[in-house]
Amino acid sequence: MTLRYSRRRKSQFAWASHWLTRCVVLAAIAIACPSAHTQVSLNGQYADTEPLDEMGDAAARMLEGVDRFLDKQLEQSSKASVRSWPKPQAKPTIPEKAKELYVRETKALRTILAERIGLVDVRSTDTSLVQQSAFGKDPYQFHNEAFTIYEVAWNVYPGVQASGLVVQPKEVRFCALAIPDAGQMPEELCGAQSSSVNYALGLASSGGLVVIPTVISRSESARSGRSVLTDQEYLYRSAIVLGRHVLGHEVAVVQSAVDSIKRLNPDLPIGIVGWGEGGWIALHSAAIDERIDVALVSGHFAPRNRIWQEPMHRNIHGLLPHFSDAQLAALVAPRKLVVDLSPGPEVVIQGNGAAPGRITGPTSAEALEELRRASEMLSPWDLQSSIEQVQSDVRTGQPSLTSCNRFVSLLRKATASMETVQASLNLGDWSHSMPSDIRRKEQLDMWDRHQQRILDSIHLERNRYWSKLDTSSLAKFQDTVGSYRDTFRNEIIGTWNIPKMPMRARSRLIDTKPGLISYEVEIDVYEDIIAQGILILPPNNQAEHKPCVVFQHGLEGRPMDTIVGDHPAYHDVAARLAMEGYVVFAPQNLYLMKDKFRVLQRKSNPLGKTLFSTMVAQHERIVDWLSSIPDVDPKRIAFYGLSYGGKSAMRIPALVPGYCLSICSADFNDWVWKNASTNSPYSYVWTMEYEIFEYDLGRKFNYAEMATLIAPRPFMVERGHFDGVAPDERVGLEFAKVNRLYSGLLRLPEHSRIEWFPGPHTIHGKGTFEFLAKHLKTE
């Protein structure tokens, strides 16, 4: 009988009885054969480790611990961000000087924020508002005695046009950018089709030239028959890998509109107002663009330490250390921000093959607490009066009348009211055949085409980034590759800059296969975080300091899958490696239990971290422990992983120098293309793996570049011709770059290899075993 604790539900008594029986038998073997398996302890654990007493599903316990750890990090991030906000060296005495100094001191934060939301492209120079339909139809107009409504378009990037409406009054006294919620079309803000939302008309009647852009919709539809995505998440998936973001697209639309208004009248005051999703866009736009004089945010303002629960397109890598809503409000200062405490939209995304998400707030209490934090950051500068609040508890789909009145009065620098003007307007009969479905689809296709053009040329950005790598000699390569590794560690993967707990390993004997003795092992990493796995000792285990292979399972896998049962992907590879004479460690990794592990990624991202931030730390601890035990030669510890374990083989050895080589099986391909393409059936855009996308990877690292971080250590790819990960030609193209580095530039042709075999997504175990023997069995 084979013990598989994570898969079988035995009673605790039966489980313990069987475990005790096996320990007695194995201990008897050790006594009878003292020359074999010298590290077997008589009390049932590996030598120099403590007993492992925990029962139940060890993997579930590990995931629960990581979840607790991340919750604590999220909670701490909001407190740390307030403490780290820029402060003056002395209390300012001249208000205008204080404002100037504050703007200078926060300039770097605006730059960081712009990059975090993907504002990295140069906007078009011609951004004039043109009266036209962006979609090939005749533009429409509406006239009355107070204003005219135009359908307009304007350039954002080459090949990208924003579209929407302009409401122009008889006399223009200010400009207001009115940003709809993602469930609204521009016409709805003008009361079209019996909509009760008509605040754009009130703004216009108060003297505002109102520009209403179309925002990316949250409408859901099936994509390629494999998942149901909102338009926002569909674009997000490609964008994030390319170093762009849906929010960046929306802010660029706002900025290009501001460009146009400033060309028309440089002195015209400009404000921005939005409710719900529009409030999200308005807050970030005002924080970044200092040309916006006044911002009104309604139905959105709240803490963001639960942003991982919101719809997936709200995921911003590295948001929380600096940019919760309180910090964004502080970045608007010394300009004016009005926070309307009206409730926002109630949004539920079910996640049918995509990421679930929910927007339920904000509550007044949450908003007030976030405002208090913003005031605390601005208080040392005497700028807390830059932020005002308006209390409202009615969900109307638009900002409250009181907040709009205050918004107008700040822009006009005089008391102004919209109430009388709005009451006199009678637009109930006005309607237009609103092309909402056409506009939504055309806008989606436009942004998709833009992102696919970026994908086509992203390798050029990557080449420019890597231009300082010196491969003229091995020594110069090792000197110059370090900075790239640091960027990969800190900006792409993310690293926990906290001390690890003292080394404490626990183990117990388990039964795997005849001739092998195996131990289940747990090692402390951080508080609440452990590393787990199965240690397998080879037969005739007499010599010390043997080569070791760490074999990493794939998605939803368990270590035992790689040892027994002839799993179709693994074929007992860990046991086979042990029979070849290697000490083998099969770790349990985090990517299992479906949404449970994906939530860990979503909690990590706002902190500037990923799943691999934690997994790298776990493997650092695994290597430290393996290096300390007498059975293992610390200089000959190799990494071999399949599928998600192959993803690990590209990232973990790149950052854990204790691995002397790496083998990527059933995963290596043109990774950026696979993540960002909407033209390929192989793409992750279509699948349920919503956690897979890594921010800004494409501009800096594809798989060839990750292999560069592993070099000059040996690196191998195991590739089945019929593996559905990617077609052979994409795999071959990416590996050609690896081969050029190893063979052509570093002159180490024996250190890189690819094995092609006529098989599917599986371990082949031929060329890889030869590669391991070549590089591990010769001291």
Side-chain angles (χ1 to χ4, degrees):
M1 178 179 290
T2 301
L3 281 179
R4 304 183 71 181
Y5 305 118
S6 60
R7 299 285 178 89
R8 298 187 180 182
R9 297 186 177 274
K10 300 179 179 181
S11 70
Q12 187 172 358
F13 176 77
W15 183 91
S17 298
H18 188 85
W19 172 73
L20 181 61
T21 301
R22 298 303 304 168
C23 287
V24 170
V25 171
L26 291 169
I29 293 172
I31 294 171
C33 307
S35 62
H37 303 293
T38 54
Q39 299 306 316
V40 176
S41 170
L42 295 184
N43 60 1
Q45 74 246 20
Y46 186 77
D48 298 325
T49 63
E50 299 175 18
L52 177 58
D53 297 325
E54 290 85 352
M55 298 182 182
D57 189 338
R61 187 158 42 82
M62 181 174 71
L63 264 66
E64 289 164 3
V66 175
D67 192 58
R68 289 194 302 273
F69 171 83
L70 291 172
D71 283 343
K72 293 175 184 177
Q73 298 300 317
L74 287 165
E75 184 64 28
Q76 292 170 10
S77 69
S78 60
K79 299 175 183 177
S81 59
V82 173
R83 291 194 299 268
S84 64
W85 198 254
K87 295 178 178 62
Q89 293 183 352
K91 193 76 170 178
T93 56
I94 304 175
E96 291 305 313
K97 292 292 184 182
K99 291 177 182 178
E100 292 175 8
L101 179 59
Y102 180 75
V103 170
R104 286 200 302 270
E105 289 293 312
T106 55
K107 181 179 180 180
L109 288 170
R110 288 185 184 83
T111 302
I112 295 169
L113 175 61
E115 184 165 318
R116 283 279 180 265
I117 67 170
L119 275 174
V120 296
D121 295 314
V122 178
R123 296 192 303 277
S124 294
T125 55
D126 179 13
T127 57
S128 301
L129 296 172
V130 179
Q131 185 186 350
Q132 70 177 58
S133 170
F135 313 118
K137 294 180 178 291
D138 292 335
Y140 61 86
Q141 296 183 17
F142 171 84
H143 300 274
N144 75 358
E145 68 280 2
F147 47 74
T148 303
I149 300 177
Y150 301 97
E151 187 179 12
V152 296
W154 64 96
N155 294 325
V156 182
Y157 299 125
V160 177
Q161 268 195 335
S163 69
L165 301 179
V166 165
V167 188
Q168 182 172 340
K170 297 296 183 182
E171 181 185 1
V172 175
R173 304 185 66 175
F174 63 90
C175 175
L177 295 155
I179 316 300
D181 179 58
Q184 299 171 327
M185 296 301 289
E187 289 84 351
E188 293 180 63
L189 272 58
C190 299
Q193 295 185 338
S194 302
S195 171
S196 61
V197 178
N198 60 359
Y199 72 92
L201 302 182
L203 294 172
S205 299
S206 302
L209 176 70
V210 183
V211 180
I212 314 173
T214 306
V215 301
I216 298 167
S217 173
R218 70 168 65 97
S219 296
E220 294 179 275
S221 58
R223 312 288 176 176
S224 192
R226 296 165 69 181
S227 58
V228 177
L229 302 172
T230 64
D231 291 357
Q232 295 163 322
E233 185 176 349
Y234 173 72
L235 292 174
Y236 161 88
R237 290 184 171 205
S238 296
I240 191 172
V241 180
L242 301 173
R244 278 74 176 178
H245 199 284
V246 171
L247 178 57
H249 294 341
E250 302 282 25
V251 173
V253 167
V254 169
Q255 289 188 306
S256 57
V258 173
D259 294 341
S260 181
I261 299 303
K262 285 297 184 184
R263 287 192 180 94
L264 287 172
N265 186 343
D267 299 322
L268 195 67
I270 296 179
I272 188 168
V273 51
W275 177 81
E277 193 85 0
W280 184 58
I281 297 166
L283 182 58
H284 285 83
S285 298
I288 288 172
D289 198 327
E290 297 174 55
R291 299 173 299 172
I292 296 172
D293 300 295
V294 182
L296 166 55
V297 175
S298 178
H300 170 75
F301 197 83
R304 294 295 150 197
N305 56 353
R306 292 195 301 275
I307 196 170
W308 58 272
Q309 295 176 326
E310 297 178 23
M312 191 66 190
H313 75 282
R314 294 267 187 107
N315 180 48
I316 299 173
H317 187 83
L319 173 79
L320 288 181
H322 300 295
F323 304 117
S324 189
D325 283 7
Q327 287 90 336
L328 295 175
L331 285 178
V332 177
R335 294 164 291 131
K336 294 294 185 179
L337 171 66
V338 179
V339 176
D340 179 359
L341 302 184
S342 299
E346 293 282 348
V347 177
V348 177
I349 307 297
Q350 296 295 341
N352 297 318
R358 180 182 295 270
I359 300 174
T360 58
T363 66
S364 291
E366 289 175 329
L368 289 170
E369 174 59 20
E370 196 71 357
L371 284 167
R372 185 199 63 76
R373 294 176 62 244
S375 180
E376 184 181 341
M377 287 183 281
L378 292 173
S379 179
W381 301 88
D382 276 343
L383 293 175
Q384 57 269 46
S385 62
S386 298
I387 304 174
E388 301 181 19
Q389 68 187 56
V390 176
Q391 187 73 43
S392 177
D393 58 1
V394 180
R395 182 177 285 107
T396 60
Q398 63 183 345
S400 69
L401 181 61
T402 304
S403 64
C404 285
N405 282 334
R406 184 56 182 154
F407 174 73
V408 169
S409 67
L410 288 169
L411 280 167
R412 292 178 56 172
K413 298 182 180 178
T415 302
S417 174
M418 291 169 40
E419 184 171 6
T420 303
V421 178
Q422 274 196 305
S424 69
L425 295 178
N426 182 12
L427 297 180
D429 296 332
W430 177 65
S431 64
H432 181 82
S433 181
M434 186 168 54
S436 57
D437 289 340
I438 296 174
R439 182 179 289 153
R440 171 189 158 245
K441 185 178 185 306
E442 289 293 332
Q443 183 190 55
L444 180 69
D445 291 346
M446 176 193 67
W447 281 116
D448 185 32
R449 288 192 300 270
H450 173 68
Q451 293 183 167
Q452 295 308 298
R453 286 193 297 270
I454 293 172
L455 175 60
D456 287 343
S457 60
I458 198 73
H459 64 283
L460 300 177
E461 289 190 63
R462 203 160 52 243
N463 289 344
R464 288 193 293 271
Y465 173 72
W466 280 86
S467 61
K468 295 182 180 179
L469 182 69
D470 189 341
T471 56
S472 60
S473 70
L474 186 57
K476 289 182 177 179
F477 168 80
Q478 291 177 312
D479 285 342
T480 55
V481 78
S483 63
Y484 294 98
R485 187 177 291 110
D486 290 343
T487 298
F488 188 64
R489 178 188 300 277
N490 296 320
E491 297 180 17
I492 304 297
I493 299 299
T495 187
W496 296 113
N497 293 312
I498 54 179
K500 292 187 177 70
M501 295 182 70
M503 180 80 74
R504 177 173 169 263
R506 286 89 65 201
S507 68
R508 61 179 163 228
L509 283 162
I510 60 172
D511 185 17
T512 53
K513 280 195 168 184
L516 302 176
I517 285 186
S518 305
Y519 301 87
E520 187 177 0
V521 179
E522 288 188 4
I523 318 167
D524 290 334
V525 182
Y526 301 122
E527 185 179 359
D528 293 317
I529 294 182
I530 55 175
Q532 296 176 342
I534 295 176
L535 179 72
I536 313 171
L537 301 179
N540 302 317
N541 184 34
Q542 297 181 20
E544 293 187 343
H545 304 304
K546 293 172 285 298
C548 175
V549 178
V550 174
F551 185 86
Q552 187 62 72
H553 62 76
L555 182 67
E556 300 292 344
R558 305 292 182 114
M560 199 68 81
D561 295 337
T562 71
I563 303 170
V564 298
D566 194 23
H567 188 288
Y570 305 111
H571 300 299
D572 298 351
V573 62
R576 289 170 55 201
L577 287 166
M579 297 301 289
E580 291 284 325
Y582 301 105
V583 175
V584 178
F585 191 78
Q588 174 67 65
N589 236 326
L590 296 180
Y591 34 78
L592 75 163
M593 299 184 183
K594 296 183 179 179
D595 279 344
K596 283 190 176 181
F597 90 84
R598 295 188 168 98
V599 164
L600 302 183
Q601 176 81 323
R602 295 188 67 173
K603 288 184 175 182
S604 299
N605 282 169
L607 296 165
K609 308 296 189 292
T610 64
L611 275 176
F612 280 100
S613 304
T614 300
M615 291 192 286
V616 165
Q618 288 174 316
H619 277 265
E620 288 172 338
R621 180 46 51 97
I622 288 168
V623 169
D624 287 344
W625 180 70
L626 289 172
S627 298
S628 73
I629 65 176
D631 277 299
V632 172
D633 182 350
K635 295 182 179 179
R636 292 185 292 164
I637 303 175
F639 192 103
Y640 185 177
L642 175 131
S643 194
Y644 225 119
K647 295 172 184 47
S648 302
M650 300 308 304
R651 293 159 177 80
I652 291 172
L655 299 177
V656 181
Y659 285 121
C660 68
L661 66 79
S662 182
I663 299 174
C664 175
S665 177
D667 183 70
F668 188 91
N669 68 98
D670 183 345
W671 182 254
V672 174
W673 165 82
K674 182 175 176 64
N675 279 258
S677 174
T678 56
N679 299 314
S680 168
Y682 294 94
S683 176
Y684 275 122
V685 169
W686 316 116
T687 72
M688 67 178 291
E689 282 94 348
Y690 55 81
E691 88 295 341
I692 208 80
F693 308 97
E694 296 159 294
Y695 180 66
D696 205 19
L697 189 75
R699 295 195 302 157
K700 298 171 182 175
F701 300 94
N702 205 342
Y703 269 9
E705 287 74 28
M706 293 185 203
T708 301
L709 301 182
I710 295 169
R713 291 167 291 167
F715 173 73
M716 182 176 177
V717 170
E718 185 176 43
R719 161 71 190 180
H721 287 302
F722 311 116
D723 192 333
V725 163
D728 277 355
E729 54 269 29
R730 283 283 177 175
V731 176
L733 176 65
E734 193 67 13
F735 189 79
K737 303 172 191 175
V738 177
N739 192 53
R740 177 176 179 268
L741 172 72
Y742 275 89
S743 298
L745 298 174
L746 299 183
R747 308 296 175 88
L748 296 169
E750 300 300 315
H751 280 216
S752 70
R753 180 181 173 185
I754 186 169
E755 181 192 29
W756 307 87
F757 66 94
H761 191 73
T762 186
I763 290 290
H764 186 48
K766 303 280 191 203
T768 53
F769 278 48
E770 296 169 2
F771 193 74
L772 288 168
K774 178 180 180 62
H775 293 285
L776 293 185
K777 289 192 173 180
T778 54
E779 298 191 44

